[in-house]
Structures are given as structure tokens and as C-alpha cells.
Amino acid sequence: MLPRMGPSCRWLTQIPTHGDPYYRFNDVMYRWISLDNWTYSRTFKTPFDIRKWQRINLVFEGVDTVAHILINNVTLGTTDNMFNRYSFDITSVIKEVNFVEVRFLSAISYAAEQSRCHTAYSIPPACPPPVQKGECHANFIRKEQCSFGWDWGPSFPTQGIWKDVRIEAYNYYHLIYFSLTPFFVKSTQQWSLEIESIFDVVSSKPIAGLVTVNIPKLQTQQTYNVKLQPGEGSIVLLVNINKSSTVEAWWPNGHGKQTGYNVTTTFTMEAGYQIEKFSKAYFRTVELVQEPIPGSPGLSFYFRINGRPIFIKGSNWIPADSFQDRVTYDKLWLLLKSAADANMNALRVWGGGVYEQDDFYDICDELGIMIWQDFMFACALYPTDQNYLESVRAEVSHQVRRLKSHPSIILWSGNNENEAAIASDWFSIPHADREVYIKDYVLLYVKNIREIVLAEDKSRPFVASSPTNGVESVKEGWLSQNPYDTHYGDTHFYDYSSDCWNWTVYPKTRFASEYGFQSWPSFSTLEKVSSTEDWSYTSNFSLHRQHHENGNDQMLQQIGYHFKLPQTTDPIKKFKDTIYLTQVMQAQCTKTETEFYRFSQSEIINGEGHTMGALYWQLNDIWQAPSWASLEYGGKWKLLHYFAQHFFAPLLPVAYEDKGVLYIYGVSDLHTDHELTLKVTVHSWSSLEPVCTLAKDGVTVRAQSAVPIYKESINDLLERCRNCTRKSCVVTFYLVGEGGLRSPTNHHFLSSLKDAVGLEKAQLSVSISHISSISSKPALRMCTGTFG
């Protein structure tokens, strides 16, 4: 292993006194760093006798991004892709003591130069909107796209060695990639495991040997005769699992266990040394079902895992930090466990960030979080010259080989919103020029990326974009006229001006893969990166942190539909109250939209419906700023995340109102039907005692469906509950069954909360004390006062 190298550049004299790059306006103050070129260098002693090895490589798992690499003043090669692995043969140049240099070129300068060199036609967009305070030409460099700025994040185009660097020395052969892919053969009702091993063979002649695969818990052991040819080559072994063993499948969170089996693969080759590989095998199948639906034009779009249709519940993942070395295992665990704890079973790794580190996918495997994996292309058109395509092909091949063993990954997706960008003409391309861009699109995502994915991994589906019309897009030449068509594929939907409580504005889509609303993070999170003068909704700081055009005003407008905006004259209290209300608004808006998607899963209305996925935008934050996230930077739950824990519950009653009639649906992700009791309670705002309660017994909620279970006009309901008006009362309801089965309590507002009559300030008192217990960890006791 080669230890981390430090910069050998000029002293950083321009660093502001408060060193955190996220502090106040430091993203702008630090801009000079990304405009400079940097060199990382160090001297190291070779920790082995170099004469004993046929091949010695210097391997970089990740270089960010454009660099010349030298050892002992000999140029080894160059890098231009943050997502590639680079291996350089240093057999002839390594010494006992070595000097290694990585000379970086500014990513901004490089991207600008690449754009200038592309003279045949422009590749939009040239620059991000001014509100994002970002850098230009991110699409001309294979680098984390959002590091040039985004509508929820800062511009920090980093330079450096972002993954491990090591020296590999070997004779004869060396294992580079190793993967396990499960398949279920329906005709024989038997599981098999495809084991692929990719080697670098430095022997001048073929090497024969034996490979033994042992899976003790499945009473499976097989030995194979193999032969390795000189150069880079692969061995693919098909291991049939012992039929007398019961294989436990890997299931998504909420649908079963995440069972994995220890596998030992031993390579004993005639050259004389043995490789033993310890890994884990998971058994699960995935299908993306796109079939005709009775009573509806178009096709379905849903995932079947192990033969079972699964409603996808979750969110979208962005990079957890602008500086990837700050993303530790513990940070990933905190964020991903929070997703699982909110009853999520899936995340979409969005295509403008990074392919996540191994720990991320390991944790998702363990927690049962399915991953929709985008390739790293987002909201832009991209060049397709030969060098660029070769770099992308190496990137895709490397990432698929690295990741395909993970059961959590259920889909490869070519890009984020680039089909929609051309179809909806985001970049005002003259009609006569469209064919050039369509040709580039197909060349990049279909003839290159898709071709490699299908060659490397036949175990999971691929779509070219999101949103897409799926096979309908394919039929239309990979670019549909309307990728937002609710009768096909997935949709992205954002509407900040309509009243978010009005469910009729939402698309009754087959799959909602992006939707959401902004809010501010809590004061305790903002306080760490701001000063007193910043604590106002209209301060320079607040305007600087908002990277979405009119975002702060849109939040106030949406709050204003249903809540009273703070009127206090205390400026700091006003700021705290306002940002709190943005979180209340975001939680209620996202709840309304998500519940609409959940109760639409089993019905077709006017040809639309059978919604089988709800992934709101977005799960996590990259810094402390207003965004669509439900987890703040640092992992604190926003109000939305607490709401998500309820609106993604496996059993949930959902209400909506239509033309004065209240409907309640029973939504279930459970695998069996249940006879339940629906309890509907009407409260007045002024009392915790119910005005009236209705219990409806014998309610059948079918497995994995959404069924109507209650219908009553609001007028009749209020008539039954005397002394109630729309403004003075609220409806709550829950489902309860045998054996402790119970849904969360849900609510339906009969009027805007700003019009509610009888609401009083809650009289809350809280005391926290530690109680000593047998364990070393102190227990926490919380005592609360009564509501007024």
C-alpha cells in the first residue's frame, strides 16, 4: 500500500480564518483552489525485493480527475476520468527508494479547453444558471457533475487522489475482478451461481490449474479444471447449488430477510501459488415488468423481486459531502439506517454524483435497500468523440464489474433526465440540428453504455434514462416524444406554484422516481456555518445558500396556502419560525403526494394508475442549505423524515377528498390479506377528547394492494359529529388487527390550518435526566407536560 500523498504546492495563504469550506461564503472564497493546478508528491521505500517479481504495478482506484503521473521522473501515463481505475506498469522503473508525483490540471481549465476544442457543434449547457454560483462545461469532463455546482449544492471542483493507491507485485497471474451473480433456472427449479474472475496473466504461456468453490451452508462444493491464457482474461464458472439444500433468498427491507452465504473460492494453479477468495453470495432475482394492463393504454412499469411484485418506497441519493474523504462508513451507516428506519426499501443513486464506495452497497445489501443505479450523466448533453467514448467504456466496464455482485442493485439506468432534455428541448436546439444530438444520445447510452452493461451483466435490467417510457422509448428510437407519459415508464414531477394539498395536480403515473419540495434545515444545523447577521430569511447568507431560482419565495408561497407566516418583530425568532414552517410545509406536501402514489397502485382511472414506485427527491444533503432533503447534513431528521416513517409504513390508511366526499383506502405491503378494524375519530382543535368515533369492523385489506375501505360525505360526517365544522375539527384514523397489528394514525385536514378555529398554544415542558443502568450506556428519560 502506498501511503497518502500530500500537496507540494505553495502555502495556502488565502484560506479564510474560519477554515470549514461550508462556513458562510467560503465556497466562493475558496474558488481559487479549483482554478489552480496542484501536484501531489512523496518519496517512498519499496517494501520488498523488486528483483523477485515479474510484474509490479502502481494502481490508483480513483484519481480526481485530470493528471500526469510520474515515478522517478518517468511519465507513466495520464488520467482523465474520476470514475476509472488506473493501473501503471512500473516494473522497469521502480527502485529501492522512489519519488512519485501526480501533477493535476485544474478541472475547470480542462473542461473549458475540451469545450473550446469541440468546434463542430456546441454541447449544451455551457454553464449552470447564475443562481447556482457554479462552474462551466461540467459535461466535458468525466467527473462528479454536481462538483461544478447544483441547485442544492456548492461548487467545489476538487482535485486529488480520492481512493486508495497501492503497489501490486506478482508473478504468473493476478486476480483483478471477482464477482458472484445468482440465477434461478425455472425449468429445473434450481439456483445457480455464476462466478467470474478476471486475471492479468504475465506468464508467457498458458497456466492450468484447479478452482474449488465451497458453500458450506448449502452443502455445495465443486472443482473445475481451468486454463488461463497470457494477457487479461476471465474464467466464468457456473456453480449449481445442491438441490437438497434450502436456499433462503435475499429480500428487500420489509419483505423478508437479507440472507447471504459465505463462499470460499480457491485457485490452485500449476505456477505454484494459491489464491483464496472469501466472499458472500446472495440469491435473488429481479425483473422489470412492462406488460399491457387491462383497461389502460400503455404498459406497466414495476419490479418483481424473487417473483413477487414490490411497491418501491424510498428516495433519491446524492453525494453525502463535496469532499468524498469525509464520507466515512459511520456516516453512510447513519444515513442508510435512517432510510431503512423510515420504512424505505429503495434508493436511486442519482446520475450527477459518484458511483458510491463499496461500503455504501455493502450496507444496502445488509439493510435490504434496493438500488436504482444511474450512470454518471445528468441534465446535459455530452460529447461522443473517440477519446471520450473510450474513457466512458472503461468507466462503465470497471463500475459494472466492481458492483454487479451486490443484490441491492436492481437496475442500471443510463442517465438522469437527458432523454427528457432532448424531447422537451431544454436547450433550445434548432429543429434542423436535432438529429445530430439524437445520434449522439443513441451512440453514448445505447451503442456504448448499454452494450457494455449487457455484455458484463445479464442478471438485471437496464433502462437508457430516467424518466423514460421504457420499451416504448426503445420503440421510438430510444427517444420518446414525451418521456413524462403517465402510461409508460417512470416520471419526474415538480410543481411549486399549485397548492400541494390538492392531490389532483399529481400525475397518476406508473412509477414516480422523482418529486418533492424544498425546506430549510433546522437552526441548529445552520448555526454551525453562519453568524448572527445571517439569521434572517432575506439575509445575504440566506440568498447565497439558495441555489434554486425563486426557491425561498416558492416556499413562502406554499406555506401561505395553509399556514400563517410568522408576524413576530424579533428577527431571530422570525427566522427560526419561518425555517421551521418550511419543514412543516415540506413534510405535509410530500406526504400528500406520496400517499397519492401509494393509493393509486391497484386502480386504473381514465387509463392511468397502477403506480408501483414512489422515490421522493431527495434523501440526504451535501451541505447546510435549503434543499429537498429529508435528512440534514450530519444526518439529523427533518420533519419530512418522521412523516416518511409513517407514509411508507407497511400498513397505512390513506384519505383524500373528492367533491365533498371523504374516501379512505387501506394500503398494504404485507404478504397476506388481513381482516381489520378501521377506527375513525373526529377531534375538535380545542380538545384532546374526541367529538365522535366510528369503528368499522370486518375491513378486508388485501395483500400488497390499495383498496377503498370507507366513503362518506364530509357533510354527513360533520352532521354525525355535532358541534363540528370544517374549521373547528380534524379527522384522524388508523387500522388495527389481531396480534398487535396496527397502522400509524393518519390525519385529514378539513380546512387550512391558518383557518382552524380553537387551536391554542401547546403548554409543553420537557426535562431530560440520565438514569444509571446496568449497562455502561446511560438510559434517557424524557418527561413531558400536558397540552393546553
Side-chain angles (χ1 to χ4, degrees):
M1 180 73 77
L2 189 67
R4 188 177 290 267
M5 294 185 274
S8 65
C9 298
R10 59 190 170 81
W11 186 248
L12 306 185
T13 53
Q14 298 175 37
I15 298 279
T17 49
H18 197 297
D20 181 353
Y22 289 165
Y23 182 69
R24 298 195 77 211
F25 306 95
N26 279 2
D27 56 318
V28 174
M29 298 289 286
Y30 283 166
R31 185 169 180 257
W32 63 271
I33 296 173
S34 59
L35 296 171
D36 231 335
N37 301 327
W38 296 81
T39 297
Y40 288 69
S41 64
R42 62 161 298 146
T43 302
F44 69 96
K45 282 185 177 176
T46 305
F48 52 81
D49 185 349
I50 57 180
R51 294 166 300 184
K52 290 184 176 176
W53 302 97
Q54 270 178 278
R55 174 65 55 82
I56 304 170
N57 289 336
L58 177 59
V59 179
F60 291 82
E61 288 294 337
V63 180
D64 176 16
T65 294
V66 182
H68 273 76
I69 297 174
L70 301 90
I71 189 166
N72 303 324
N73 295 316
V74 176
T75 299
L76 300 176
T78 58
T79 69
D80 65 359
N81 190 322
M82 181 181 180
F83 310 121
N84 270 350
R85 170 187 178 276
Y86 290 92
S87 180
F88 301 102
D89 182 353
I90 58 169
T91 316
S92 61
V93 290
I94 192 168
K95 302 173 182 174
E96 280 186 32
V97 179
N98 303 276
F99 180 63
V100 62
E101 288 178 283
V102 183
R103 297 178 185 170
F104 283 97
L105 177 66
S106 160
I108 297 167
S109 305
Y110 174 84
E113 180 60 24
Q114 293 300 302
S115 173
R116 269 196 301 275
C117 291
H118 198 285
T119 53
Y121 50 95
S122 66
I123 309 280
C127 300
V131 69
Q132 292 179 18
K133 304 156 191 81
E135 302 290 356
C136 301
H137 309 299
N139 50 345
F140 274 92
I141 183 169
R142 290 310 299 142
K143 175 175 171 58
E144 178 183 6
Q145 299 288 272
C146 65
S147 70
F148 277 53
W150 217 262
D151 60 1
W152 36 254
S155 174
F156 281 113
T158 45
Q159 288 176 55
I161 300 158
W162 76 292
K163 290 193 171 186
D164 281 350
V165 189
R166 64 179 179 274
I167 287 176
E168 295 173 344
Y170 50 95
N171 293 324
Y172 307 112
Y173 70 110
H174 173 64
L175 182 61
I176 309 172
Y177 296 100
F178 181 86
S179 62
L180 307 169
T181 315
F183 291 94
F184 185 71
V185 183
K186 285 183 181 171
S187 57
T188 58
Q189 289 293 292
Q190 186 178 17
W191 282 100
S192 62
L193 200 60
E194 185 180 279
I195 300 182
E196 184 173 17
S197 313
I198 297 175
F199 291 90
D200 179 33
V201 179
V202 292
S203 163
S204 58
K205 53 182 196 274
I207 303 173
L210 297 174
V211 182
T212 301
V213 181
N214 188 20
I215 313 173
K217 277 205 168 171
L218 296 176
Q219 292 88 47
T220 298
Q221 181 167 330
Q222 285 172 240
T223 301
Y224 304 81
N225 289 303
V226 297
K227 188 175 275 189
L228 291 172
Q229 299 298 329
E232 187 177 299
S234 68
I235 297 173
V236 180
L237 307 173
L238 197 64
V239 181
N240 292 315
I241 303 303
N242 189 330
K243 269 192 128 174
S244 60
S245 297
T246 303
V247 176
E248 281 191 32
W250 179 94
W251 285 98
N253 182 34
H255 290 275
K257 294 180 186 170
Q258 290 77 46
T259 306
Y261 295 91
N262 292 325
V263 180
T264 305
T265 308
T266 310
F267 301 86
T268 310
M269 311 304 283
E270 64 185 6
Y273 77 101
Q274 187 173 291
I275 295 177
E276 202 164 36
K277 187 78 182 169
F278 300 100
S279 51
K280 220 168 192 135
Y282 297 89
F283 295 88
R284 70 104 187 85
T285 61
V286 55
E287 302 158 88
L288 175 56
V289 183
Q290 299 180 73
E291 296 173 343
I293 299 172
S296 172
L299 301 168
S300 64
F301 191 92
Y302 69 90
F303 290 91
R304 254 198 315 245
I305 308 294
N306 304 322
R308 182 181 286 277
I310 302 285
F311 187 98
I312 302 289
K313 303 182 294 186
S315 190
N316 285 262
W317 174 273
I318 65 164
D321 204 292
S322 292
F323 307 98
Q324 280 292 318
D325 60 341
R326 303 206 294 204
V327 184
T328 60
Y329 180 92
D330 289 346
K331 276 190 180 176
L332 289 171
W333 174 263
L334 177 71
L335 296 169
L336 293 169
K337 185 69 167 67
S338 292
D341 287 347
N343 291 306
M344 295 185 189
N345 60 27
L347 292 171
R348 174 172 169 254
V349 175
W350 167 76
V354 298
Y355 305 94
E356 283 297 330
Q357 54 188 278
D358 294 343
D359 286 341
F360 174 91
Y361 301 97
D362 288 340
I363 295 168
C364 290
D365 293 345
E366 186 182 337
L367 295 175
I369 295 174
M370 296 176 283
I371 296 298
W372 171 313
Q373 179 66 54
D374 280 2
F375 287 96
M376 294 300 127
F377 301 85
C379 301
L381 306 184
Y382 289 85
T384 58
D385 55 86
Q386 203 50 44
N387 289 344
Y388 191 89
L389 288 178
E390 279 176 20
S391 184
V392 167
R393 286 176 73 85
E395 164 193 330
V396 172
S397 176
H398 167 60
Q399 295 297 343
V400 174
R401 288 173 177 183
R402 180 174 79 91
L403 298 174
K404 68 179 178 180
S405 296
H406 291 283
S408 50
I409 298 175
I410 60 165
L411 179 74
W412 301 112
S413 173
N415 66 70
N416 172 74
E417 298 185 343
N418 297 344
E419 180 183 345
I422 296 175
S424 307
D425 198 19
W426 291 5
F427 307 122
S428 304
I429 294 165
H431 191 77
D433 298 340
R434 272 176 58 84
E435 280 310 309
V436 173
Y437 296 97
I438 292 170
K439 191 179 167 197
D440 276 359
Y441 180 92
V442 174
L443 180 60
L444 177 58
Y445 302 113
V446 182
K447 292 180 179 170
N448 281 278
I449 294 175
R450 179 176 177 269
E451 184 182 285
I452 290 170
V453 172
L454 296 185
E456 293 284 353
D457 180 19
K458 295 176 178 62
S459 72
R460 47 176 71 79
F462 172 90
V463 294
S465 186
S466 174
T468 183
N469 288 348
V471 294
E472 176 60 24
S473 285
V474 178
K475 211 186 281 182
E476 294 180 42
W478 297 96
L479 264 152
S480 57
Q481 283 191 303
N482 175 22
Y484 298 98
D485 192 331
T486 52
H487 303 97
Y488 300 94
D490 65 318
T491 57
H492 297 185
F493 180 80
Y494 296 97
D495 180 348
Y496 308 115
S497 55
S498 301
D499 175 1
C500 76
W501 288 22
N502 175 12
W503 58 270
T504 64
V505 304
Y506 302 125
K508 213 169 181 68
T509 175
R510 303 291 191 230
F511 196 108
S513 50
E514 265 197 41
Y515 60 95
F517 299 86
Q518 273 201 327
S519 74
W520 277 79
S522 56
F523 183 74
S524 63
T525 295
L526 284 172
E527 193 177 17
K528 297 181 180 79
V529 292
S530 58
S531 63
T532 316
E533 69 211 75
D534 301 326
W535 299 338
S536 150
Y537 199 75
T538 54
S539 69
N540 287 337
F541 173 80
S542 294
L543 295 171
H544 180 75
R545 287 278 155 151
Q546 175 56 270
H547 285 195
H548 170 62
E549 195 73 56
N550 300 323
N552 289 348
D553 291 338
Q554 287 167 354
M555 282 185 270
L556 294 182
Q557 181 188 346
Q558 197 62 246
I559 292 167
Y561 286 134
H562 298 291
F563 302 93
K564 290 176 183 171
L565 286 160
Q567 300 301 318
T568 176
T569 52
D570 178 343
I572 292 179
K573 185 178 187 319
K574 187 174 185 178
F575 181 58
K576 288 179 177 178
D577 289 349
T578 304
I579 62 177
Y580 168 72
L581 274 174
T582 68
Q583 290 207 17
V584 174
M585 173 275 296
Q586 179 197 35
Q588 183 65 28
C589 287
T590 311
K591 170 187 187 290
T592 305
E593 187 165 356
T594 306
E595 289 183 348
F596 172 75
Y597 296 137
R598 286 198 77 188
F599 81 65
S600 298
Q601 68 183 273
S602 303
E603 66 185 17
I604 292 289
I605 293 177
N606 297 327
E608 297 179 320
H610 275 220
T611 309
M612 282 298 284
L615 299 172
Y616 66 75
W617 186 269
Q618 68 208 60
L619 180 74
N620 56 314
D621 258 333
I622 200 168
W623 71 333
Q624 308 89 336
S627 81
W628 294 255
S630 63
L631 296 174
E632 297 179 7
Y633 181 79
K636 183 178 179 181
W637 289 27
K638 284 185 180 175
L639 190 59
L640 168 55
H641 209 78
Y642 289 98
F643 270 46
Q645 197 170 37
H646 280 182
F647 64 60
F648 280 145
L651 178 68
L652 184 72
V654 171
Y656 73 95
E657 200 179 310
D658 192 21
K659 296 178 182 143
V661 177
L662 180 69
Y663 296 86
I664 299 178
Y665 277 57
V667 180
S668 173
D669 292 325
L670 305 173
H671 291 187
T672 53
D673 298 353
H674 285 276
E675 286 284 309
L676 303 167
T677 297
L678 172 68
K679 296 207 170 172
V680 180
T681 305
V682 179
H683 282 92
S684 75
W685 285 116
S686 57
S687 170
L688 288 176
E689 292 301 313
V691 177
C692 63
T693 302
L694 164 88
K696 184 181 177 185
D697 296 320
V699 172
T700 302
V701 176
R702 294 201 316 274
Q704 296 189 265
S705 69
V707 292
I709 54 174
Y710 177 86
K711 176 184 174 184
E712 186 175 11
S713 85
I714 300 288
N715 287 341
D716 290 353
L717 182 65
L718 294 175
E719 187 75 24
R720 273 195 301 112
C721 302
R722 307 238 173 235
N723 304 320
C724 254
T725 67
R726 275 185 171 272
K727 291 183 179 179
S728 68
C729 290
V730 61
V731 184
T732 65
F733 43 95
Y734 64 90
L735 288 161
V736 63
E738 293 175 355
L741 181 63
R742 184 187 157 138
S743 75
T745 300
N746 209 340
H747 60 264
H748 178 71
F749 297 128
L750 298 170
S751 71
S752 291
L753 290 178
K754 67 181 179 183
D755 299 327
V757 173
L759 269 177
E760 294 173 26
K761 264 195 174 174
Q763 303 301 314
L764 281 174
S765 63
V766 178
S767 68
I768 299 172
S769 59
H770 290 296
I771 303 169
S772 58
S773 58
I774 298 167
S775 77
S776 58
K777 287 185 180 175
L780 203 60
R781 180 177 64 194
M782 183 176 279
C783 313
T784 61
T786 54
F787 288 88

